[in-house]
Amino acid sequence: MKKILLLVIPLILSACSADIGRSWAENDCSKMRNNADREQCYKDVDSTFRDY
């Protein structure tokens, strides 16, 4: 049981950190005033965090 927990905990933490990173990036995008830049920012965030 202990070995399973040691294998699962890093996976859970990495998933949480990716969600936090995406949230921060999207928050930065929302602060942009130029609509074209904001849309490109959201596309970049989506492509960066797509596999996480």
Coordinates of all heavy atoms in Angstrom, one line a residue:
M1 N 0.8 -1.2 0.0 CA 0.0 0.0 0.0 C 0.9 1.3 0.0 O 0.6 2.2 -0.7 CB -0.9 0.0 1.2 CG -1.8 1.1 1.3 SD -3.1 1.0 0.0 CE -4.1 2.4 0.4
K2 N 1.9 1.2 0.8 CA 2.8 2.4 0.9 C 3.5 2.7 -0.4 O 3.6 3.8 -0.8 CB 3.8 2.1 2.0 CG 4.6 3.3 2.4 CD 5.5 3.1 3.6 CE 6.2 4.3 4.0 NZ 7.0 4.1 5.2
K3 N 3.9 1.6 -1.2 CA 4.5 1.8 -2.5 C 3.5 2.4 -3.5 O 3.9 3.3 -4.3 CB 5.0 0.5 -3.0 CG 6.2 -0.1 -2.3 CD 6.7 -1.4 -2.9 CE 7.8 -2.0 -2.0 NZ 8.3 -3.2 -2.6
I4 N 2.3 2.0 -3.4 CA 1.3 2.6 -4.3 C 1.1 4.1 -4.1 O 1.1 4.9 -5.0 CB 0.0 1.8 -4.2 CG1 0.1 0.4 -4.7 CG2 -1.2 2.6 -4.9 CD1 -1.1 -0.5 -4.5
L5 N 1.0 4.4 -2.8 CA 0.9 5.9 -2.4 C 2.1 6.7 -2.9 O 2.0 7.8 -3.4 CB 0.7 6.0 -0.9 CG -0.6 5.6 -0.4 CD1 -0.6 5.8 1.1 CD2 -1.7 6.5 -1.0
L6 N 3.3 6.1 -2.8 CA 4.5 6.8 -3.2 C 4.5 7.0 -4.7 O 5.1 8.0 -5.2 CB 5.7 6.1 -2.8 CG 6.0 6.1 -1.3 CD1 7.2 5.2 -1.0 CD2 6.2 7.5 -0.8
L7 N 3.8 6.1 -5.5 CA 3.8 6.3 -6.9 C 2.6 7.2 -7.3 O 2.8 8.0 -8.3 CB 3.5 4.9 -7.6 CG 4.7 3.9 -7.5 CD1 4.3 2.6 -8.0 CD2 5.9 4.5 -8.2
V8 N 1.6 7.3 -6.6 CA 0.4 8.1 -6.9 C 0.5 9.5 -6.5 O 0.1 10.4 -7.3 CB -0.9 7.4 -6.3 CG1 -2.1 8.3 -6.5 CG2 -1.1 6.1 -6.9
I9 N 1.1 9.8 -5.4 CA 1.2 11.2 -4.9 C 1.9 12.1 -5.9 O 1.4 13.2 -6.2 CB 1.9 11.2 -3.5 CG1 0.9 10.6 -2.5 CG2 2.3 12.6 -3.1 CD1 1.4 10.5 -1.1
P10 N 3.1 11.7 -6.5 CA 3.7 12.7 -7.5 C 2.8 12.9 -8.7 O 2.8 14.1 -9.2 CB 4.9 12.0 -7.9 CG 5.3 11.0 -6.8 CD 3.9 10.6 -6.2
L11 N 2.0 12.0 -9.1 CA 1.1 12.2 -10.2 C 0.0 13.2 -9.9 O -0.4 14.0 -10.7 CB 0.5 10.8 -10.7 CG 1.4 9.8 -11.3 CD1 0.7 8.5 -11.5 CD2 2.0 10.4 -12.6
I12 N -0.5 13.0 -8.7 CA -1.6 14.0 -8.2 C -1.0 15.4 -8.1 O -1.6 16.4 -8.5 CB -2.2 13.5 -6.9 CG1 -2.9 12.2 -7.1 CG2 -3.1 14.6 -6.3 CD1 -3.4 11.5 -5.8
L13 N 0.2 15.5 -7.5 CA 0.8 16.8 -7.4 C 1.1 17.5 -8.7 O 0.9 18.7 -8.9 CB 2.0 16.7 -6.5 CG 1.8 16.4 -5.0 CD1 3.1 16.3 -4.3 CD2 0.9 17.4 -4.4
S14 N 1.6 16.7 -9.6 CA 1.9 17.3 -11.0 C 0.6 17.7 -11.7 O 0.6 18.8 -12.4 CB 2.7 16.3 -11.8 OG 1.9 15.2 -12.1
A15 N -0.5 17.0 -11.5 CA -1.7 17.4 -12.1 C -2.2 18.7 -11.5 O -2.7 19.6 -12.2 CB -2.8 16.3 -12.0
C16 N -2.1 18.8 -10.2 CA -2.5 20.0 -9.5 C -1.7 21.2 -9.9 O -2.2 22.3 -10.1 CB -2.5 19.9 -8.0 SG -3.7 18.7 -7.3
S17 N -0.4 21.0 -10.0 CA 0.5 22.2 -10.4 C 0.2 22.6 -11.8 O 0.3 23.8 -12.1 CB 1.9 21.8 -10.2 OG 2.3 20.8 -11.0
A18 N -0.2 21.7 -12.7 CA -0.5 22.1 -14.1 C -1.8 22.9 -14.1 O -1.9 23.9 -14.8 CB -0.7 20.9 -15.0
D19 N -2.8 22.5 -13.3 CA -4.0 23.3 -13.2 C -3.8 24.7 -12.7 O -4.3 25.7 -13.1 CB -5.0 22.6 -12.3 CG -5.6 21.3 -12.9 OD1 -5.6 21.2 -14.2 OD2 -6.1 20.5 -12.2
I20 N -2.9 24.8 -11.7 CA -2.6 26.1 -11.1 C -1.8 26.9 -12.1 O -2.1 28.1 -12.3 CB -1.7 25.9 -9.8 CG1 -2.6 25.3 -8.7 CG2 -1.1 27.2 -9.4 CD1 -1.8 24.8 -7.5
G21 N -0.9 26.3 -12.9 CA -0.2 27.1 -13.9 C -1.1 27.6 -15.0 O -1.0 28.7 -15.4
R22 N -2.0 26.7 -15.4 CA -3.0 27.2 -16.4 C -3.8 28.3 -15.9 O -4.1 29.3 -16.6 CB -3.8 26.0 -16.8 CG -4.8 26.3 -17.9 CD -5.7 25.2 -18.3 NE -6.5 25.5 -19.5 CZ -6.4 25.0 -20.7 NH1 -5.5 24.0 -20.9 NH2 -7.1 25.4 -21.7
S23 N -4.3 28.2 -14.7 CA -5.1 29.3 -14.1 C -4.3 30.6 -14.0 O -4.9 31.6 -14.4 CB -5.5 28.8 -12.7 OG -6.1 29.9 -12.0
W24 N -3.1 30.6 -13.7 CA -2.3 31.8 -13.6 C -2.1 32.4 -15.0 O -2.2 33.6 -15.2 CB -0.9 31.5 -13.0 CG -0.9 31.3 -11.5 CD1 -1.9 31.5 -10.7 CD2 0.2 30.8 -10.7 NE1 -1.6 31.2 -9.4 CE2 -0.3 30.8 -9.4 CE3 1.5 30.4 -11.0 CZ2 0.5 30.4 -8.3 CZ3 2.3 30.0 -10.0 CH2 1.8 30.0 -8.7
A25 N -1.8 31.5 -16.0 CA -1.6 32.0 -17.4 C -2.9 32.6 -17.9 O -2.9 33.6 -18.6 CB -1.2 30.8 -18.2
E26 N -4.0 31.9 -17.7 CA -5.3 32.5 -18.1 C -5.6 33.8 -17.4 O -6.2 34.7 -18.1 CB -6.4 31.5 -17.9 CG -6.4 30.3 -18.9 CD -7.4 29.3 -18.7 OE1 -8.0 29.2 -17.5 OE2 -7.6 28.4 -19.6
N27 N -5.3 33.9 -16.2 CA -5.5 35.2 -15.5 C -4.6 36.3 -16.1 O -5.1 37.4 -16.2 CB -5.1 35.0 -14.0 CG -5.5 36.2 -13.1 OD1 -6.4 36.9 -13.4 ND2 -4.7 36.4 -12.1
D28 N -3.4 36.0 -16.5 CA -2.6 37.0 -17.2 C -3.2 37.4 -18.5 O -3.1 38.5 -18.9 CB -1.2 36.4 -17.4 CG -0.4 36.4 -16.1 OD1 -0.8 37.0 -15.1 OD2 0.7 35.7 -16.1
C29 N -3.7 36.4 -19.2 CA -4.4 36.7 -20.5 C -5.6 37.7 -20.3 O -5.8 38.6 -21.1 CB -4.9 35.4 -21.2 SG -3.6 34.3 -21.7
S30 N -6.3 37.4 -19.3 CA -7.5 38.2 -19.1 C -7.2 39.7 -18.8 O -8.1 40.6 -19.0 CB -8.4 37.7 -17.9 OG -7.7 37.8 -16.7
K31 N -6.0 40.0 -18.4 CA -5.6 41.4 -18.1 C -5.2 42.2 -19.4 O -5.0 43.4 -19.3 CB -4.4 41.4 -17.1 CG -4.8 40.8 -15.8 CD -3.6 40.8 -14.9 CE -4.0 40.1 -13.5 NZ -2.8 39.9 -12.7
M32 N -5.0 41.5 -20.5 CA -4.6 42.1 -21.7 C -5.8 42.9 -22.3 O -6.9 42.5 -22.3 CB -4.2 41.1 -22.8 CG -2.9 40.4 -22.4 SD -2.4 39.3 -23.7 CE -0.8 38.8 -23.1
R33 N -5.5 44.1 -22.8 CA -6.6 45.0 -23.3 C -6.8 44.8 -24.7 O -8.0 44.9 -25.2 CB -6.1 46.5 -23.1 CG -6.1 46.9 -21.6 CD -5.6 48.3 -21.5 NE -5.4 48.6 -20.1 CZ -6.1 49.4 -19.4 NH1 -7.2 50.0 -19.9 NH2 -5.8 49.7 -18.1
N34 N -5.8 44.4 -25.5 CA -6.0 44.2 -26.9 C -6.7 42.8 -27.2 O -6.2 41.8 -26.7 CB -4.7 44.2 -27.6 CG -4.8 44.1 -29.1 OD1 -5.7 43.6 -29.7 ND2 -3.8 44.7 -29.8
N35 N -7.8 42.8 -27.8 CA -8.6 41.6 -28.0 C -7.8 40.5 -28.8 O -7.9 39.3 -28.5 CB -9.9 41.9 -28.7 CG -10.9 42.6 -27.8 OD1 -10.8 42.5 -26.6 ND2 -11.9 43.2 -28.4
A36 N -7.1 41.0 -29.9 CA -6.3 40.0 -30.7 C -5.2 39.4 -29.8 O -5.0 38.1 -29.9 CB -5.8 40.7 -31.9
D37 N -4.5 40.2 -29.1 CA -3.5 39.6 -28.2 C -4.0 38.7 -27.1 O -3.4 37.7 -26.8 CB -2.7 40.8 -27.5 CG -1.8 41.6 -28.5 OD1 -1.6 41.1 -29.6 OD2 -1.4 42.7 -28.1
R38 N -5.2 39.0 -26.6 CA -5.8 38.2 -25.6 C -6.2 36.9 -26.1 O -6.0 35.8 -25.5 CB -7.0 38.9 -25.0 CG -7.6 38.2 -23.8 CD -8.8 39.0 -23.2 NE -8.7 40.4 -23.4 CZ -9.7 41.1 -23.8 NH1 -10.9 40.6 -24.1 NH2 -9.6 42.4 -23.9
E39 N -6.8 36.9 -27.3 CA -7.2 35.6 -28.0 C -6.0 34.7 -28.3 O -6.1 33.5 -28.1 CB -8.0 35.9 -29.2 CG -9.4 36.4 -29.0 CD -10.3 35.5 -28.2 OE1 -10.2 34.2 -28.4 OE2 -11.0 35.9 -27.3
Q40 N -4.9 35.4 -28.7 CA -3.7 34.6 -29.0 C -3.1 34.0 -27.7 O -2.6 32.9 -27.7 CB -2.7 35.5 -29.7 CG -1.4 34.7 -30.2 CD -1.7 33.6 -31.1 OE1 -2.5 33.7 -32.1 NE2 -1.2 32.4 -30.8
C41 N -3.2 34.8 -26.7 CA -2.7 34.3 -25.4 C -3.5 33.1 -24.9 O -2.9 32.1 -24.5 CB -2.8 35.5 -24.4 SG -2.2 35.1 -22.7
Y42 N -4.8 33.1 -25.0 CA -5.6 32.0 -24.6 C -5.3 30.8 -25.5 O -5.3 29.6 -25.0 CB -7.1 32.3 -24.7 CG -7.6 33.1 -23.6 CD1 -8.3 34.3 -23.8 CD2 -7.5 32.7 -22.3 CE1 -8.8 35.1 -22.7 CE2 -8.0 33.4 -21.2 CZ -8.6 34.6 -21.4 OH -9.1 35.4 -20.4
K43 N -5.1 31.0 -26.8 CA -4.7 29.9 -27.7 C -3.4 29.3 -27.3 O -3.2 28.1 -27.3 CB -4.7 30.3 -29.1 CG -6.0 30.6 -29.7 CD -5.9 31.1 -31.2 CE -7.3 31.5 -31.7 NZ -7.1 32.1 -33.1
D44 N -2.4 30.2 -26.9 CA -1.1 29.7 -26.5 C -1.2 28.9 -25.2 O -0.5 27.9 -25.0 CB -0.1 30.9 -26.3 CG 0.2 31.5 -27.6 OD1 0.0 30.9 -28.7 OD2 0.7 32.7 -27.6
V45 N -2.0 29.4 -24.3 CA -2.2 28.7 -23.0 C -2.8 27.3 -23.3 O -2.4 26.3 -22.7 CB -3.1 29.5 -22.0 CG1 -3.5 28.6 -20.9 CG2 -2.4 30.7 -21.6
D46 N -3.8 27.3 -24.1 CA -4.5 26.0 -24.5 C -3.5 25.0 -25.1 O -3.5 23.8 -24.7 CB -5.7 26.3 -25.4 CG -6.5 25.0 -25.6 OD1 -6.8 24.3 -24.7 OD2 -6.7 24.7 -26.8
S47 N -2.7 25.5 -26.0 CA -1.7 24.6 -26.7 C -0.6 24.1 -25.7 O -0.2 23.0 -25.8 CB -1.1 25.2 -27.9 OG -0.3 26.3 -27.6
T48 N -0.3 25.0 -24.8 CA 0.8 24.6 -23.8 C 0.3 23.6 -22.8 O 1.0 22.6 -22.5 CB 1.2 25.9 -23.0 OG1 1.7 26.8 -24.0 CG2 2.3 25.5 -22.0
F49 N -1.0 23.8 -22.3 CA -1.5 22.9 -21.2 C -2.4 21.8 -21.8 O -3.0 21.1 -21.0 CB -2.2 23.7 -20.2 CG -1.3 24.6 -19.4 CD1 -1.1 25.9 -19.7 CD2 -0.6 24.0 -18.3 CE1 -0.2 26.7 -19.0 CE2 0.3 24.8 -17.6 CZ 0.5 26.1 -17.9
R50 N -2.5 21.6 -23.1 CA -3.4 20.6 -23.6 C -3.1 19.2 -23.1 O -4.0 18.4 -22.9 CB -3.3 20.6 -25.2 CG -4.3 19.7 -25.8 CD -4.3 19.9 -27.3 NE -4.7 21.2 -27.7 CZ -4.2 22.0 -28.6 NH1 -3.2 21.6 -29.3 NH2 -4.7 23.2 -28.8
D51 N -1.9 18.8 -23.0 CA -1.5 17.4 -22.6 C -1.4 17.2 -21.1 O -1.0 16.1 -20.7 CB -0.2 17.1 -23.3 CG -0.3 17.1 -24.8 OD1 -1.4 16.8 -25.3 OD2 0.7 17.4 -25.5
Y52 N -1.7 18.2 -20.3 CA -1.5 18.1 -18.9 C -2.8 17.8 -18.2 O -3.8 18.1 -18.4 CB -0.9 19.3 -18.3 CG 0.5 19.5 -18.7 CD1 0.9 20.4 -19.6 CD2 1.5 18.7 -18.1 CE1 2.2 20.6 -20.0 CE2 2.8 18.9 -18.5 CZ 3.2 19.8 -19.5 OH 4.5 20.0 -19.9

